[in-house]
């Protein structure tokens, strides 16, 4: 689809969205605290509302297709960002980050994610522009990632980080205690790093892994770099507050990663079909387009993505309720 959104709209959108992120960062650093459930819910609602308003603005300035692609891309990236939170929970617990300063740490992690995704979007757009066969690679990569997502536990990713963390601790002087969110401190007259550096590195590795998944996924929805980037910004907005809103629940959504795996697999297949439909590789169908390959619409994609997320979350909540009832019965039996 040819980008038909006005240039002024795109520039204004970037300025406003980046200003909101900057405001959120300043707020996190000036008011380090543990947000209440009510406060977190309000902020998450505000950011979700802003995303829906932005979709309406895209409908006004562009077309229904622009708005639909943004919503589908935003929901996809939001789903993957929520999966990010699982690993953030593990990192915070492993490195015993004081809960009071987790807001600031999370914000840094979100900014790292934003920068990495921005770079990957530029690289992905350039590859798509010059190499049509890249959709085959993206499609196969997403299907492979989906299989890994369904099989791999988040603890496994933590183990992969350990080698980098151990190397960091051997090469750089790092203190044993946190000093707020300070990156460096002085011990016996020597400047050393605090453990917060290790946490930032762990978050950066995590963000890199998830950026590798999320960018090909959204390019399966739209190839418009503006929509791709804004969908990612909105997906990262409010992620800090969502972390505190879900709290311990996020680690109990047992089936969520299956829903995300299904989404990745679906988009991977969609990309592969698109590659076949636009095929130019000489060893596939003689370099001709494969006419039978279906083109899956944005609306169909949105329906599949929302259904997968809803089913996986509801199934997880049902399991939590069943487990809680089972524990209650066991406790009652023991009391008797």
């Amino acid at each position: 689809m040819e980008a038909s959104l006005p240039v002024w709209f795109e520039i204004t959108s970037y300025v406003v969205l980046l200003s909101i992120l900057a405001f959120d960062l300043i707020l996190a650093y000036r008011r380090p605290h543990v947000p209440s459930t009510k406060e977190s819910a309000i902020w998450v609602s505000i950011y979700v509302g802003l995303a829906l308003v932005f979709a309406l603005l895209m409908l006004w300035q562009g077309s229904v297709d622009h708005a639909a692609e943004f919503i589908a891309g935003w929901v996809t990236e939001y789903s993957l960002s929520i999966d990010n939170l699982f690993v953030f929970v593990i990192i915070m617990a492993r490195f015993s980050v004081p809960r009071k300063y987790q807001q600031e740490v999370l914000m840094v992690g979100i900014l790292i994610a934003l920068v990495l995704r921005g770079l990957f979007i530029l690289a992905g757009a350039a590859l798509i522009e010059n190499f049509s066969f890249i959709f085959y690679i993206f499609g196969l990569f997403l299907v492979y990632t989906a299989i890994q997502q369904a099989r791999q536990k988040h603890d496994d990713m933590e183990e992969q980080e350990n080698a980098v963390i151990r190397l960091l601790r051997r090469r750089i002087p790092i203190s044993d205690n946190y000093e707020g969110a300070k990156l460096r401190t002085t011990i016996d007259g020597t400047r050393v790093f605090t453990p917060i550096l290790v946490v930032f590195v762990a978050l950066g590795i995590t963000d890199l892994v998830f950026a590798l998944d999320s960018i090909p996924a959204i390019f399966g929805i739209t190839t418009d770099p503006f929509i791709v980037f804004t969908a990612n910004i909105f997906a990262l907005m409010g992620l800090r507050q969502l972390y505190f809103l879900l709290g311990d629940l996020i680690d109990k959504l047992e089936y969520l990663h299956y829903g995300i795996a299904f989404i990745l697999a679906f988009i991977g297949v969609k990309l592969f079909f698109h590659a076949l439909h636009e095929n130019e590789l000489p060893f596939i169908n003689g370099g001709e387009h494969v006419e039978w390959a279906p083109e899956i619409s944005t609306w169909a994609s949105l329906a599949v993505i929302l259904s997968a997320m809803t089913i996986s979350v509801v199934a997880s909540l049902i399991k939590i309720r069943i487990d809680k009832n089972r524990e209650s019965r066991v406790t009652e039996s023991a009391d008797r």
Side-chain angles (χ1 to χ4, degrees):
M1 182 185 68
E2 289 282 333
S4 57
L5 289 165
V7 175
W8 70 263
F9 177 77
E10 294 190 2
I11 294 174
T12 303
S13 298
Y14 285 136
V15 171
V16 172
L17 294 180
L18 292 176
S19 297
I20 292 173
L21 279 175
F23 169 77
D24 205 14
L25 177 63
I26 293 170
L27 195 65
Y29 269 89
R30 288 197 171 180
R31 295 180 60 242
H33 68 292
V34 180
S36 65
T37 300
K38 181 179 178 181
E39 178 186 345
S40 299
I42 290 173
W43 278 107
V44 170
S45 300
I46 288 172
Y47 285 127
V48 170
L50 285 175
L52 296 177
V53 169
F54 188 73
L56 291 175
L57 291 174
M58 293 190 76
L59 177 63
W60 171 47
Q61 289 295 322
S63 65
V64 173
D65 287 337
H66 283 97
E69 288 181 3
F70 169 75
I71 292 175
W74 169 59
V75 172
T76 299
E77 294 301 291
Y78 204 64
S79 303
L80 294 172
S81 295
I82 291 174
D83 195 40
N84 233 6
L85 291 183
F86 279 95
V87 186
F88 284 176
V89 168
I90 293 172
I91 291 172
M92 296 294 184
R94 173 172 171 73
F95 296 108
S96 304
V97 179
R99 195 161 176 80
K100 180 180 179 181
Y101 300 106
Q102 288 182 9
Q103 274 206 94
E104 300 162 72
V105 174
L106 283 168
M107 203 62 210
V108 171
I110 290 168
L111 289 177
I112 294 172
L114 184 63
V115 171
L116 289 174
R117 293 187 188 194
L119 294 173
F120 276 50
I121 289 167
L122 292 175
L127 288 171
I128 289 170
E129 184 71 25
N130 294 285
F131 306 103
S132 60
F133 65 84
I134 198 68
F135 285 111
Y136 285 113
I137 298 174
F138 280 177
L140 290 172
F141 175 73
L142 286 180
V143 171
Y144 169 77
T145 303
I147 295 171
Q148 293 298 106
Q149 171 79 9
R151 295 172 56 188
Q152 187 180 42
K153 298 297 183 183
H154 291 96
D155 295 333
D156 299 335
M157 187 178 295
E158 181 191 359
E159 290 302 319
Q160 294 170 10
E161 294 169 357
N162 283 344
V164 178
I165 301 302
R166 285 196 297 269
L167 177 64
L168 191 68
R169 286 189 179 277
R170 283 200 301 266
R171 299 297 179 87
I172 299 175
I174 299 174
S175 67
D176 296 325
N177 302 314
Y178 291 93
E179 290 196 21
K182 289 182 180 179
L183 192 62
R184 302 196 72 183
T185 186
T186 302
I187 297 179
D188 297 330
T190 304
R191 295 287 288 171
V192 297
F193 287 96
T194 67
I196 209 77
L197 173 67
V198 180
V199 177
F200 287 161
V201 171
L203 290 174
I205 295 171
T206 300
D207 287 333
L208 178 61
V209 172
F210 278 95
L212 284 169
D213 299 340
S214 65
I215 299 309
I218 195 171
F219 273 119
I221 303 294
T222 177
T223 55
D224 186 328
F226 173 73
I227 297 177
V228 172
F229 194 66
T230 52
N232 271 276
I233 293 177
F234 274 105
L236 294 172
M237 279 184 179
L239 202 60
R240 171 171 63 85
Q241 290 86 353
L242 187 64
Y243 173 89
F244 291 100
L245 176 63
L246 295 179
D248 295 334
L249 176 64
I250 193 170
D251 200 34
K252 298 176 182 177
L253 296 176
E254 189 170 330
Y255 300 124
L256 181 62
H257 70 287
Y258 291 117
I260 292 171
F262 181 83
I263 292 171
L264 290 173
F266 168 77
I267 297 176
V269 171
K270 178 184 176 181
L271 278 171
F272 202 81
F273 281 151
H274 177 75
L276 287 172
H277 198 267
E278 302 293 327
N279 177 63
E280 295 178 353
L281 294 179
F283 53 86
I284 297 179
N285 199 38
E288 299 295 325
H289 304 329
V290 181
E291 297 300 331
W292 60 261
E295 283 282 7
I296 302 173
S297 71
T298 303
W299 291 106
S301 299
L302 180 59
V304 169
I305 293 164
L306 288 174
S307 298
M309 285 301 295
T310 301
I311 291 170
S312 60
V313 170
V314 170
S316 298
L317 294 176
I318 290 173
K319 187 176 188 304
I320 291 172
R321 176 63 62 87
I322 291 172
D323 290 344
K324 185 178 292 185
N325 290 339
R326 185 183 296 121
E327 288 176 6
S328 297
R329 288 196 296 270
V330 170
T331 303
E332 288 175 2
S333 298
D335 291 340
R336 290 171 190 169

